[in-house]
């Protein structure tokens, strides 16, 4: 009876995810979808880039911003967040002979703020009332020259207050190849892009590597101060902006992360940094998540291999649906479809990272990034 119940539950879960969960797995929401007509007047845009100890990536990142072919007024503000390396100098050298870049030295971290958001807030303050739109992008992201133009075209032509792209993550090392596509896939499961993009839906989300926000709408939402202690700042911002108007979130090849995750430990650290924050620092939700992952991902292959009768059939169907649902993301990242078979093991790794995130929080080391433990701010 217990196996029958588990088999029925896991089959229902996968039928729901594949059929009724807004087609999250189909990867249909992309910036290659048709664009509206270009605006008659291209608005003023300021890009704000927070950077802390980014000497190894900042030249490529800033260089890609300097190369934007945007038809309107465009300026870049880099906030050097108390770096201990040559981040600021390297950025200035990349912009030698150009007046499109301003570098400001960030003030010491204010109480109650996460480091990134404190830097972003200073950059927006430096921009003042000049920009119509703010392009919030990370120091480890590079953009194709037409990225800003297409962002503005979609925002203006489609009447969106926020347009955001899920930057394509690096997927070269064995750790990245096995875990990165699933990272984006799980994100889409939590925040189905199709639902986020529906004007009638209340679900708001964003991807922090590339966000174009209408300045006046952001101010009405309370500005960056309204999410100053949010560890998952992008989705918090997306939810705030959704209250001001429509948002759009999609996959892209235009914006690419150049952050390297060469080892399993580095990927685990990236996942663990915010996993427990996603659960609102709740031990009860943590327990429910671990149990839910086991029923959703581990039960299907175990039932297929060791079950009998109905339980085995239901487990096999659920595992097949799981493998099928992972295929579009694997194709997007140009990975072998055989990785779909390994999704139960990949999900187990993510479950372990989630528990590790909770343990780090309990030990006062939650949200560790660039020498700062920040998760306690959101507790």
């Amino acid at each position: 009876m217990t196996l029958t119940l588990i088999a029925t539950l896991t089959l229902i879960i996968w039928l729901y995810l594949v059929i009724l969960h807004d087609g999250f797995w189909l990867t249909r929401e992309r910036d290659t979808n048709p664009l509206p007509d270009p605006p008659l007047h291209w608005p003023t845009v300021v890009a704000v880039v927070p950077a802390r100890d980014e000497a190894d990536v900042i030249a490529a990142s800033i260089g890609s911003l300097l190369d934007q072919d945007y038809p309107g007024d465009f300026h870049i503000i880099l906030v050097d967040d108390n770096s201990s390396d040559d981040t600021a100098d390297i950025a200035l050298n990349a912009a030698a002979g150009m007046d499109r870049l301003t570098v400001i030295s960030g003030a010491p971290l204010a109480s109650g703020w996460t480091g990134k958001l404190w830097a972003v807030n200073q950059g927006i303050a430096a921009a003042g009332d000049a920009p119509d739109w703010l392009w919030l992008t990370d120091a480890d992201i590079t953009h194709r020259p037409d990225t800003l133009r297409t962002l503005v075209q979609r925002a203006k032509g489609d009447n969106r207050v926020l347009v955001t792209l899920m930057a394509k993550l690096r997927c070269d090392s064995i750790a990245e190849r096995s875990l990165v596509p699933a990272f984006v896939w799980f994100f889409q499961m939590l925040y189905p892009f199709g639902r986020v993009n529906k004007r009638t839906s209340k679900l708001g989300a964003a991807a922090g590597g590339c966000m174009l926000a209408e300045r006046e709408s952001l101010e009405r939402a309370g500005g960056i101060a309204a999410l100053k202690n949010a560890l998952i700042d992008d989705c918090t911002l997306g939810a705030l902006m959704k209250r001001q108007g429509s948002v759009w979130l999609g996959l892209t090849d235009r914006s690419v992360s150049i952050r390297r995750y060469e080892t399993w430990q580095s990927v685990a650290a990236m996942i663990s940094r915010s996993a427990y924050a996603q659960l609102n620092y709740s031990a009860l939700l943590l327990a429910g998540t671990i149990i839910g992952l086991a029923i959703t991902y581990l039960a299907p292959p175990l039932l297929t291999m060791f079950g009998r009768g109905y339980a085995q059939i239901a487990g096999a169907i659920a595992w097949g649906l799981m493998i099928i649902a992972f295929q579009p993301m694997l194709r997007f990242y140009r990975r072998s479809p055989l990785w779909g078979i390994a999704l139960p093991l990949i999900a187990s790794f993510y479950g372990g990272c989630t528990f590790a995130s909770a343990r780090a929080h309990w030990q006062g080391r939650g949200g560790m990034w660039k020498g700062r433990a920040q998760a306690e701010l959101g507790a």
Side-chain angles (χ1 to χ4, degrees):
M1 179 62 72
T2 302
L3 282 182
T4 299
L5 181 62
I6 292 174
T8 301
L9 181 57
T10 192
L11 181 57
I12 290 173
I13 289 172
W14 280 105
L15 287 171
Y16 166 79
L17 288 174
V18 170
I19 299 173
L20 300 175
H21 199 48
D22 292 274
F24 83 95
W25 57 280
L26 295 170
T27 68
R28 291 181 298 200
E29 302 297 321
R30 303 191 186 191
D31 66 344
T32 52
N33 294 354
L35 284 167
D37 293 333
L40 296 177
H41 170 71
W42 291 92
T44 300
V45 179
V46 171
V48 176
V49 185
R52 178 176 170 86
D53 294 338
E54 300 286 9
D56 56 338
V57 295
I58 197 64
S61 176
I62 291 298
S64 74
L65 295 175
L66 294 167
D67 288 341
Q68 292 298 303
D69 63 5
Y70 183 64
D73 292 334
F74 173 53
H75 194 73
I76 306 159
I77 296 177
L78 172 72
V79 184
D80 181 24
D81 183 17
N82 299 281
S83 295
S84 60
D85 60 16
D86 296 329
T87 293
D89 290 338
I90 294 172
L92 287 169
N93 288 336
M98 304 177 69
D99 60 0
R100 185 174 265 189
L101 174 68
T102 297
V103 176
I104 64 175
S105 297
L109 181 61
S111 176
W113 288 76
T114 64
K116 176 183 175 180
L117 292 176
W118 176 237
V120 170
N121 188 63
Q122 293 173 77
I124 292 176
D129 296 333
D132 303 302
W133 292 81
L134 294 162
W135 188 11
L136 309 180
T137 181
D138 289 345
D140 60 352
I141 305 293
T142 61
H143 307 275
R144 278 185 3 202
D146 64 345
T147 302
L148 178 57
R149 178 163 45 82
T150 58
L151 287 169
V152 170
Q153 194 167 332
R154 190 176 300 280
K156 293 287 289 182
D158 207 19
N159 192 27
R160 307 279 183 170
V161 298
L162 177 72
V163 174
T164 175
L165 301 177
M166 183 74 190
K168 196 164 190 180
L169 305 180
R170 187 177 179 273
C171 199
D172 294 337
S173 71
I174 182 61
E176 291 166 339
R177 291 199 299 271
S178 59
L179 298 172
V180 161
F183 178 84
V184 181
W185 191 78
F186 288 138
F187 182 82
Q188 285 192 305
M189 182 183 291
L190 289 172
Y191 303 97
F193 289 9
R195 188 184 304 174
V196 169
N197 296 344
K198 287 180 182 176
R199 299 180 191 276
T200 55
S201 168
K202 294 182 179 180
L203 180 65
C210 181
M211 303 185 292
L212 182 73
E214 187 182 42
R215 181 182 57 81
E216 291 184 354
S217 295
L218 179 58
E219 289 177 354
R220 287 196 303 270
I224 297 300
L227 56 145
K228 65 181 183 180
N229 61 0
L231 196 60
I232 308 176
D233 53 89
D234 46 8
C235 289
T236 304
L237 178 62
L240 288 174
M241 293 296 284
K242 191 65 179 277
R243 298 170 193 167
Q244 306 302 316
S246 297
V247 306
W248 190 90
L249 168 63
L251 296 169
T252 187
D253 284 313
R254 282 188 170 93
S255 299
V256 178
S257 173
I258 53 176
R259 177 84 61 197
R260 293 175 176 270
Y261 295 100
E262 299 284 2
T263 66
W264 305 99
Q265 291 86 350
S266 60
V267 178
M270 181 265 291
I271 298 167
S272 301
R273 188 171 70 89
S274 60
Y276 198 41
Q278 184 72 55
L279 301 176
N280 295 319
Y281 306 101
S282 167
L284 185 61
L285 287 178
L286 173 65
T289 297
I290 299 300
I291 294 171
L293 287 172
I295 293 173
T296 304
Y297 295 99
L298 293 183
L302 292 176
L303 289 168
T304 301
M305 291 183 287
F306 304 112
R308 294 290 183 273
Y310 166 79
Q312 186 177 47
I313 294 172
I317 294 173
W319 196 8
L321 290 172
M322 184 195 313
I323 293 170
I324 291 170
F326 198 28
Q327 295 308 306
M329 184 60 67
L330 290 172
R331 285 196 296 271
F332 180 72
Y333 272 93
R334 298 179 176 86
R335 299 273 66 88
S336 167
L338 295 179
W339 282 110
I341 300 173
L343 191 54
L345 295 177
I346 296 169
S348 298
F349 182 91
Y350 275 79
C353 291
T354 302
F355 182 79
S357 177
R359 184 174 60 185
H361 177 77
W362 298 332
Q363 295 173 344
R365 299 183 291 106
M368 187 63 69
W369 181 248
K370 300 293 177 97
R372 291 169 173 160
Q374 304 179 109
E376 64 269 15
L377 298 172

